[in-house]
Amino acid sequence: MSLYAYLVAGWLLLAGFFGVVRSRDLVHTAVCVSVAQSGTYVLLLGIGFQRGAGAPVFAPGIPTTSPVVDPVVQAMALTDIVVSATVTALLLAIAVQIAKRHGTVDPDELHALRG
Amino acid sequence: MSRGVRTLIFLAGAAGLGMLLVLAFLRCPPFGGDWHPYRDMAVPAALAHVTPNVVSSVNFDQRGLDTLGEETILLGSVLGATVLLRPGRHETRREPQDVGRVLQVTRLGGYVMLPLALTLGLDVVIHGHLTPGGGFQGGVVLATGLHLTYVAGSYPALRRLRPVSWYEYAEALGAGTFSVLGVVGLVTSAALLANFLPLGQFQQLFSSGTVLALSVATGCEVAAGVVVLLAAFLEQTIMIDSSRERAG
């Protein structure tokens, strides 16, 4: 069962991609990109996990020698979340512009580029 | 390309990628094991700089340059979204009316939660080096907490509480402070974003040197950035009248 967390990460990535490919709405596409990206959170936190270890925060009363999970991948997951949020914001802003200019948010109905 | 063909191409690609992923996962270190070489280096480095929250130490001390880049991504994205959401040539601004009914209990809940959410946000930012949290998390709590006034049903009240230009200055101030602290570290310690402030006592509020200062600067930037971003989206929905464009 040691592969389970990694397989969940891979499944999230592919499920997100599947949603992007089958999307009929640009807002749905942006959400699917977020789902695909969330696979990386699971992968990073899965790699950093250690059974029986605590959070990498030494509150008063916790000895600094006690085992903790990997803080480096947690910091990377934080970076990842920030990037995901900014990408989603930009994609939604672009979707608003497309809805205004083309009158549709269905990617299949967007045939030509228009200035 | 039809949807069917596109799905078939996707399935072929997904099968290949899936196989590569499984092959890679088979050679990953086993889940839950105790082999974490980065952890073994990051934890002593954080303790040497008197920072109980190792994640904050990684973000604002050990990998400070990456966080500077991350902050710049956020700044750029807020700028890009604001530019994309500006009113077009055929659009007019209209004054928002306080229409629609909000349940009294929602209104009460919003105004009760507002000070609590803002206090919690400040706490998460200021104690980012001691307890779980930090500038990014606390900044988002602050910015979304402010929008409880909108949930409580009053867009005009939110606008009075939130002169957007102030938040634009605050965002620039936060990002600028981060860069200036980095350069000061370069001048005093010959490394960009070096921890040059006094380290203090373990688990005290004023400790861990620049981690606290950078966390507060980041909290300022993130809170202001998210407020500006949400303001652009809200204005687009509530205040822009694009009926003429759709007709033409």
Side-chain angles (χ1 to χ4, degrees):
Chain A
M1 286 311 280
S2 76
L3 271 186
Y4 187 64
Y6 300 150
L7 290 178
V8 168
W11 177 78
L12 277 173
L13 182 76
L14 291 177
F17 286 165
F18 180 72
V20 172
V21 170
R22 297 287 295 177
S23 179
R24 285 188 185 280
D25 186 317
L26 287 174
V27 176
H28 172 263
T29 315
V31 174
C32 290
V33 172
S34 299
V35 170
Q37 224 164 359
S38 59
T40 55
Y41 314 153
V42 178
L43 182 66
L44 282 170
L45 298 181
I47 285 177
F49 180 69
Q50 177 180 340
R51 270 179 228 287
V57 179
F58 297 105
I62 298 178
T64 54
T65 49
S66 59
V68 293
V69 297
D70 194 338
V72 178
V73 288
Q74 293 201 359
M76 283 178 179
L78 175 65
T79 307
D80 212 350
I81 291 167
V82 173
V83 171
S84 167
T86 58
V87 167
T88 306
L90 276 180
L91 287 178
L92 289 177
I94 292 170
V96 168
Q97 277 294 334
I98 288 176
K100 271 199 236 170
R101 284 172 183 263
H102 297 261
T104 176
V105 285
D106 186 342
D108 287 334
E109 285 177 21
L110 299 169
H111 291 301
L113 290 173
R114 213 161 44 159
Chain B
M1 195 188 299
S2 75
R3 289 171 66 80
V5 176
R6 199 166 59 194
T7 311
L8 278 180
I9 293 177
F10 166 76
L11 287 178
L17 178 61
M19 261 190 315
L20 286 177
L21 283 174
V22 170
L23 287 178
F25 293 154
L26 284 171
R27 312 227 359 218
C28 273
F31 178 72
D34 60 357
W35 185 73
H36 295 290
Y38 289 119
R39 187 262 323 263
D40 296 340
M41 285 187 269
V43 171
L47 294 177
H49 280 178
V50 201
T51 313
N53 182 352
V54 188
V55 180
S56 279
S57 174
V58 171
N59 269 326
F60 297 115
D61 197 355
Q62 302 169 31
R63 287 174 66 234
L65 186 62
D66 293 9
T67 306
L68 182 63
E70 192 181 337
E71 265 210 335
T72 322
I73 291 174
L74 186 70
L75 195 69
S77 133
V78 171
L79 197 67
T82 318
V83 169
L84 279 171
L85 292 171
R86 73 195 185 284
R89 256 176 298 164
H90 303 289
E91 294 173 329
T92 48
R93 279 167 199 269
R94 59 162 184 246
E95 274 309 299
Q97 301 105 351
D98 231 349
V99 288
R101 244 162 39 86
V102 180
L103 286 176
Q104 289 292 321
V105 63
T106 312
R107 206 177 275 272
L108 177 72
Y111 285 120
V112 169
M113 289 301 289
L114 176 68
L116 293 179
L118 294 184
T119 315
L120 176 71
L122 282 175
D123 175 75
V124 171
V125 171
I126 291 171
H127 294 100
H129 57 309
L130 303 177
T131 53
F136 286 104
Q137 300 91 321
V140 173
V141 174
L142 280 174
T144 46
L146 202 62
H147 285 82
L148 280 169
T149 43
Y150 174 62
V151 176
S154 179
Y155 187 64
L158 175 65
R159 287 181 73 205
R160 278 197 299 277
L161 192 65
R162 185 206 65 183
V164 174
S165 58
W166 287 25
Y167 288 89
E168 287 165 356
Y169 298 141
E171 188 187 6
L173 183 75
T177 310
F178 199 108
S179 318
V180 168
L181 283 168
V183 174
V184 172
L186 182 65
V187 171
T188 54
S189 317
L192 190 65
L193 288 158
N195 198 337
F196 63 90
L197 290 174
L199 292 173
Q201 294 286 316
F202 197 60
Q203 285 163 349
Q204 294 299 306
L205 177 58
F206 291 104
S207 69
S208 68
T210 52
V211 174
L212 174 60
L214 291 177
S215 174
V216 171
T218 307
C220 179
E221 199 226 317
V222 172
V226 174
V227 166
V228 173
L229 192 66
L230 289 177
F233 277 105
L234 279 176
E235 187 175 288
Q236 187 67 231
T237 316
I238 297 173
M239 279 180 59
I240 302 277
D241 188 1
S242 58
S243 50
R244 275 190 297 164
E245 191 185 44
R246 238 176 271 139

